[in-house]
């Protein structure tokens, strides 16, 4: 599994890879750091899940496992998510010779990797902002609830108990106290 799959979902990445397949005589794969295919431009049953890649992290190179001289060309671009290597976008030629127009393929792979990286970052930021917004909303509601209680109750002990109950519910603390 990769973080981009966890954040965006396999279906969204699969659809994006499939959009590029007709533009170039290659199949596109999203490969995790272990060399396993986690998404592909190939339809189910066409061998995408059965492929495995060998990754040399020192050289940042990717080769098809069991490749021979007749094996179609393989090109790869690193996929960075939040500044860390998350996997590779790999292109495997459907032609028997080397990957045609290798530079063009590298450009396409970089575009795919950048899109996935940018989209993953945007979704991650959106999730964080949503969680922060919900947290702030709960805090504001706590203040309003406490203000309503203080205005309606004149017994200091009762006010303190209500403040503790509401604060513990919002904050999720196991114990709390109020000192006057």
């Amino acid at each position: 599994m990769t973080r981009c799959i966890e954040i965006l979902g396999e279906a969204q990445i699969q659809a994006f890879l499939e959009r590029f397949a007709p533009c170039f005589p290659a199949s596109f794969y999203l490969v995790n750091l272990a060399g396993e295919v986690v998404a592909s431009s190939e339809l189910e049953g066409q061998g995408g899940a059965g492929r495995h890649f060998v990754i040399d992290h020192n050289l940042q190179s990717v080769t098809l496992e069991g490749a021979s001289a007749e094996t179609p060309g393989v090109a790869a671009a690193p996929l960075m998510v939040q500044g860390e290597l998350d996997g590779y976008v790999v292109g495997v030629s459907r032609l028997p010779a080397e990957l045609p127009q290798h530079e063009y393929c590298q450009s396409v792979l970089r575009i795919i990797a950048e899109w996935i990286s940018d989209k993953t970052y945007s979704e991650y930021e959106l999730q964080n902002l949503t969680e922060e917004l919900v947290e702030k909303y709960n805090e504001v509601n706590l203040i309003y609830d406490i203000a309503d209680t203080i205005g309606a109750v004149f017994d200091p002990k009762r006010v303190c108990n209500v403040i503790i109950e509401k604060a513990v519910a919002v904050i999720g603390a196991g114990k709390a106290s109020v000192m006057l």
Side-chain angles (χ1 to χ4, degrees), residues 44-178:
E44 280 189 45
Q46 289 186 347
R51 293 196 175 211
H52 192 274
F53 294 87
V54 177
I55 299 173
D56 183 338
H57 294 287
N58 294 328
L59 299 175
Q60 284 195 341
S61 70
V62 178
T63 55
L64 190 56
E65 187 175 68
S68 65
E70 296 85 36
T71 302
V74 176
L79 174 61
M80 305 300 285
V81 173
Q82 298 164 340
E84 294 183 21
L85 183 63
D86 193 41
Y88 290 88
V89 178
V90 179
V92 177
S93 175
R94 289 189 220 118
L95 303 176
E98 279 191 32
L99 208 56
Q101 301 173 342
H102 186 72
E103 287 299 316
Y104 173 70
C105 184
Q106 282 296 112
S107 296
V108 169
L109 292 173
R110 280 192 296 273
I111 289 168
I112 293 171
E114 286 176 20
W115 180 88
I116 292 171
S117 178
D118 291 346
K119 187 76 170 164
T120 301
Y121 180 76
S122 298
E123 288 295 319
Y124 178 78
E125 287 298 308
L126 181 60
Q127 288 173 357
N128 283 347
L129 289 172
T130 302
E131 290 170 10
E132 188 175 331
L133 183 61
V134 168
E135 188 177 301
K136 296 298 180 197
Y137 175 79
N138 288 337
E139 290 173 6
V140 168
N141 276 343
L142 172 65
I143 292 169
Y144 282 130
D145 286 348
I146 290 172
D148 283 346
T149 302
I150 290 173
V153 177
F154 298 107
D155 177 24
K157 187 174 184 178
R158 176 69 186 128
V159 169
C160 290
N161 287 338
V162 170
I163 290 172
I164 288 175
E165 288 172 14
K166 293 189 182 292
V168 166
V170 171
I171 296 170
K175 295 182 179 183
S177 65
V178 173

